[in-house]
Amino acid sequence: MTSARNTSHSVSHFILLGFPCRREIQIFLFSIFFTIYILTLLGNMAIVYAVYWDHRLHTPMYILLANFSFLEICYVNSDVPNMLVNFLSTTKTISFTRCLLQLYFFFSLGTTECLFLSIMAYDRFLAICRPLHYPTVMTTMFCGNLVIFCWVYGFLWFLIPVILITQLPFCGPNVIDDFLCDLGPLLALASVCVPIPGTVLICGTMSSLLIFGTFFYIIGSYTLVLRAVIRMPSSAGSKKAFSTCSSHLAVVFLFYGSVMITYVSPGSGQAKGMQKFTTLFYSVMTPFFNPMIYSLRNKEMKDALKKVVGGS
């Protein structure tokens, strides 16, 4: 036990390989992802700003959407700035403490995103399947409580895995073939020093419970919603409801599709070469696409964004 604790302090920093390539390509990738990063911030900030200033959007659905967009701003800031720095860096190092902090915030924000997508599905289920009960159930206070629940529970869920990882013996290997301190690569480095089946099992179980629990809840909710939409007598009402739900489902499948590939079995070494690309997709590209997905098929949001851009 004593030797294990001593070896846990032998690694003071990690090397994030990122996307190894020639210097010219690194600079090119930096400019591409820097542009995506800025556009992501602007797109999500525009949605937050539009919901805040347009009183017609002060409804639970748009309050949840504004919080979701703010979450996306936080999410990209947990990994993209460090990735951009590494494109220009020659050492590509990150300290042990910063690495674990990035791991905690990245996964806590990811957990919060899963919860927000679930709450947004619940909101649409109430609005379309239980329209008479919607105003009394989904009050502003209840919506606020749901938002607080998502943020608080999101940051509590992954606390135990991170604490377990801080106790693992990192005895020498410190090269992470990724652009961030991800769960799988860290577990793989620790397993070189000593078998850690218990930690891998706990991390995998908690990831699977969160991912599959929220995913099946969301799919179940939207299945009931789509069934109700099909039965609507008004074609205009069903078209509007379907447009809103299809936007939500597009975001759900973009996010969960890549997340499931990456985290259902962390540390297993499965799809090793693809992990950084699936992580890149849901952590960088999905927040970039979300403002476009939510605004292009929503008339109220498009009108509000036109006012924001037009300054009127």
Side-chain angles (χ1 to χ4, degrees), residues 75-86:
Y75 202 24
V76 294
N77 277 309
S78 70
D79 64 322
V80 176
N82 190 71
M83 179 180 73
L84 293 173
V85 170
N86 275 2

Side-chain angles (χ1 to χ4, degrees), residues 96 98 236 247 251 287:
F96 185 86
R98 277 186 60 207
S247 299
V251 172

Side-chain angles (χ1 to χ4, degrees), residues 255-266:
F255 180 74
Y256 277 93
S258 49
V259 165
M260 284 181 178
I261 294 171
T262 310
Y263 296 115
V264 170
S265 184

Side-chain angles (χ1 to χ4, degrees), residues 214-292:
T214 54
F215 178 74
F216 285 125
Y217 175 80
I218 292 166
I219 295 302
S221 298
Y222 282 119
T223 299
L224 296 174
V225 166
L226 292 175
R227 190 174 69 175
V229 168
I230 292 170
R231 294 175 177 176
M232 280 184 177
S234 168
S235 59
S238 63
K239 184 179 179 182
K240 181 180 178 181
F242 181 79
S243 178
T244 302
C245 293
S246 61
S247 299
H248 288 200
L249 279 171
V251 172
V252 167
F253 284 117
L254 276 175
F255 180 74
Y256 277 93
S258 49
V259 165
M260 284 181 178
I261 294 171
T262 310
Y263 296 115
V264 170
S265 184
S268 65
Q270 209 169 20
K272 187 178 178 182
M274 289 300 295
Q275 177 163 319
K276 70 173 75 174
F277 296 102
T278 56
T279 305
L280 179 73
F281 187 81
Y282 81 79
S283 65
V284 179
M285 301 310 299
T286 302
F288 170 68
F289 289 126
N290 283 353
M292 292 182 278

Side-chain angles (χ1 to χ4, degrees), residues 37-86:
Y37 173 63
I38 296 300
L39 291 175
T40 301
L41 294 181
L42 291 175
N44 284 288
M45 286 171 64
I47 289 179
V48 174
Y49 185 81
V51 173
Y52 180 79
W53 284 106
D54 195 328
H55 293 285
R56 295 173 303 169
L57 302 184
H58 289 184
T59 62
M61 184 180 84
Y62 291 108
I63 291 171
L64 292 173
L65 178 57
N67 275 275
F68 186 75
S69 293
F70 177 71
L71 168 64
E72 295 290 53
I73 293 170
C74 298
Y75 202 24
V76 294
N77 277 309
S78 70
D79 64 322
V80 176
N82 190 71
M83 179 180 73
L84 293 173
V85 170
N86 275 2

Side-chain angles (χ1 to χ4, degrees), residues 81-114:
N82 190 71
M83 179 180 73
L84 293 173
V85 170
N86 275 2
F87 277 129
L88 304 178
S89 171
T90 53
T91 58
K92 303 185 186 299
T93 59
I94 183 171
S95 69
F96 185 86
T97 303
R98 277 186 60 207
C99 183
L100 291 181
L101 281 173
Q102 184 185 57
L103 176 75
Y104 174 66
F105 280 102
F106 181 75
F107 275 89
S108 294
L109 291 165
T111 301
T112 307
E113 180 149 348
C114 291

